[in-house]
Amino acid sequence: MLGRGHQAGIIKQAPLVEAFEELGADFFVLHTGQHYSYNMDKVFFEDLGLPEPEYKIPDTYRYKLHGEQTAKMLMEIERILVKERPRIVVVTGDANTNLAGALAAKKLHIRVAHTESGLRSFDWRVPEEHNRIIIERLSDYLFAPNELARKNLELDNVGGEIFVIGSTLVDALEKVREVALRKSQMLEELGLEKDGFFLMTMHREENLDYEREVRGIVEGVLEVVREFGYPLVFPAHPRTIRRLKELDLYEVLDAHEGVHLMPAVGYLDFMALLSSARLILTDSSGVQQEACILRVPCVTLRRATEWVETLLVGANVLVGSDPKAIVEGVGKMLASGRDWINPFGERGVGKRIAKVLLDKLHEPIELVYERYRARGRAIEPYLSLGSWEEVLKALRSEAGRRAARDSRAEGGEAPWATR
């Protein structure tokens, strides 16, 4: 069973669906409707030649709070799993859809496979960071896009089996770009030419919930338009539009002759814009990865990123909400080339994951449980000390040494985090 609930998830699972069909696997797809109703996504499925999901959960997108949305999906997914009893549930990414799918499966003693595992922003304000960590703790098979993601999983001492296998998005984007450029009329409607405009998105809670962040970003991007002369295309999420209006910033952007402010566009229209942009400014996790693969320079309007590899290969720069840093970041990325290494692997990821999962269908469940039990071996040396007093003494001594070591290391900062 594959679970998905928003268009980014549909894209990332498309190569898996194609691989399972090619390999003759017995599977089904569940659409949770987290961001859109199925009817709104139906044309999107048709455009990409994807089969219709066997199950669709209605009206999930009407629930706005994280808790009620996750609860709605958890309840509905559980009912479907009780009926179908799949051997493995596959979830992709870090949306509430995937958290609900992993929880429902694990409570029913169904194995969980998580693709796109091991991402970390180390920003505890980010809801997706909470979801990732919970999902990975529950997962039996974790598919990491690269070795850095594997290291994050190992540091978190996950109990499942880790596979470094690449990102399914590498498979999907080539097809998506071709369909988007063929079907979308967005560039013509806006009078844009390839590499002749900047693109922008902003929707994350850690920006919109703080007035200082929103004002800093708006000030920065307006200075970018003045400094570099490129028109800025800004498809804005409904919540972003409401927030801009609350702060009297919507009119400022809308009246600027260099800014194309518009309601959010569909995924194919957005991909046509992204594929043709000279540069993108964004706070989106997924867009950072897409821009890297499509070789579009990226300026990230956040203080941290889960896609650290995009910084390390030179495809992306972090600027936060500081106007000066935003302008400097755009200048830096305009001056850089586009010949960075793709850190997300080679094509064929979907088929590689599908083959692993088909093989794991025959793995005795006891082996799955044993991998988790193996985590307990790290505590066995303490338990063998023989008395509670000796256990406490050893643990306190170790904690003291760790605190001293951390104190000496204090002041160092990861290169992918901004203040």
Side-chain angles (χ1 to χ4, degrees), residues 95-156:
N96 290 338
T97 285
N98 307 301
L99 175 61
L103 280 169
K106 191 52 60 177
K107 294 296 184 181
L108 294 171
H109 305 288
I110 297 170
R111 283 173 274 186
V112 176
H114 183 224
T115 67
E116 203 175 82
S117 275
L119 310 187
R120 293 291 182 273
S121 68
F122 300 103
D123 186 344
W124 207 230
R125 301 174 304 161
V126 179
E128 290 82 358
E129 189 87 347
H130 314 153
N131 290 353
R132 288 181 205 116
I133 290 172
I134 297 170
I135 293 167
E136 289 162 3
R137 288 292 188 180
L138 297 174
S139 295
D140 304 294
Y141 310 115
L142 301 108
F143 295 94
N146 50 46
E147 291 292 344
L148 184 60
R150 181 212 286 272
K151 186 63 177 177
N152 283 330
L153 293 170
E154 290 174 344
L155 289 171
D156 269 0

Side-chain angles (χ1 to χ4, degrees), residues 124-323:
W124 207 230
R125 301 174 304 161
V126 179
E128 290 82 358
E129 189 87 347
H130 314 153
N131 290 353
R132 288 181 205 116
I133 290 172
I134 297 170
I135 293 167
E136 289 162 3
R137 288 292 188 180
L138 297 174
S139 295
D140 304 294
Y141 310 115
L142 301 108
F143 295 94
N146 50 46
E147 291 292 344
L148 184 60
R150 181 212 286 272
K151 186 63 177 177
N152 283 330
L153 293 170
E154 290 174 344
L155 289 171
D156 269 0
N157 194 26
V158 298
E161 189 174 1
I162 302 169
F163 303 85
V164 177
I165 210 155
S167 171
T168 56
L169 198 57
V170 174
D171 290 340
L173 276 189
E174 184 173 332
K175 180 178 181 180
V176 171
R177 174 167 53 183
E178 186 276 325
V179 173
L181 293 175
R182 174 166 47 85
K183 294 184 71 73
S184 175
Q185 302 298 315
M186 186 60 61
L187 269 71
E188 291 82 355
E189 291 174 6
L190 296 176
L192 301 171
E193 295 182 358
K194 182 172 174 54
D195 293 334
F197 64 97
F198 292 164
L199 184 62
M200 175 179 170
T201 74
M202 178 177 67
H203 72 277
R204 296 183 72 93
E205 293 179 13
E206 59 267 33
N207 278 330
L208 294 185
D209 287 354
Y210 299 90
E211 179 176 348
R212 182 184 65 180
E213 308 286 340
V214 179
R215 290 193 181 279
I217 289 170
V218 170
E219 180 183 341
V221 297
L222 290 178
E223 183 58 35
V224 162
V225 173
R226 288 190 290 269
E227 177 78 16
F228 299 100
Y230 285 85
L232 179 75
V233 180
F234 185 6
H237 187 278
R239 183 167 180 259
T240 305
I241 291 175
R242 289 195 298 272
R243 185 61 167 150
L244 290 171
K245 288 181 176 180
E246 287 173 5
L247 299 176
D248 296 323
L249 293 172
Y250 183 88
E251 294 77 9
V252 173
L253 288 167
D254 194 38
H256 197 289
E257 62 180 10
V259 177
H260 293 281
L261 180 61
M262 67 184 77
V265 298
Y267 189 79
L268 291 180
D269 281 336
F270 181 78
M271 289 307 299
L273 289 170
L274 178 58
S275 299
S276 303
R278 177 63 184 88
L279 176 146
I280 181 156
L281 301 103
T282 186
D283 62 3
S284 165
S285 169
V287 171
Q288 292 174 64
Q289 186 188 19
E290 290 164 344
C292 180
I293 294 171
L294 293 172
R295 301 196 178 279
V296 177
C298 184
V299 175
T300 296
L301 306 168
R302 289 170 57 189
R303 301 179 186 182
T305 177
E306 44 281 287
W307 293 116
V308 180
E309 48 272 80
T310 65
L311 306 179
L312 298 176
V313 300
N316 188 12
V317 63
L318 284 179
V319 297
S321 61
D322 177 67

Side-chain angles (χ1 to χ4, degrees), residues 65-75 96-97 99-100 103:
L65 296 176
H66 288 282
E68 63 181 8
Q69 185 184 83
T70 304
K72 159 75 171 174
M73 292 185 288
L74 177 61
M75 177 178 66
N96 290 338
T97 285
L99 175 61
L103 280 169

Side-chain angles (χ1 to χ4, degrees), residues 382 391-407:
Y382 301 98
V391 169
L392 290 180
K393 180 180 177 181
L395 290 172
R396 286 167 179 163
S397 176
E398 182 180 289
R401 291 194 300 272
R402 185 167 56 247
R405 184 174 65 249
D406 292 345
S407 179

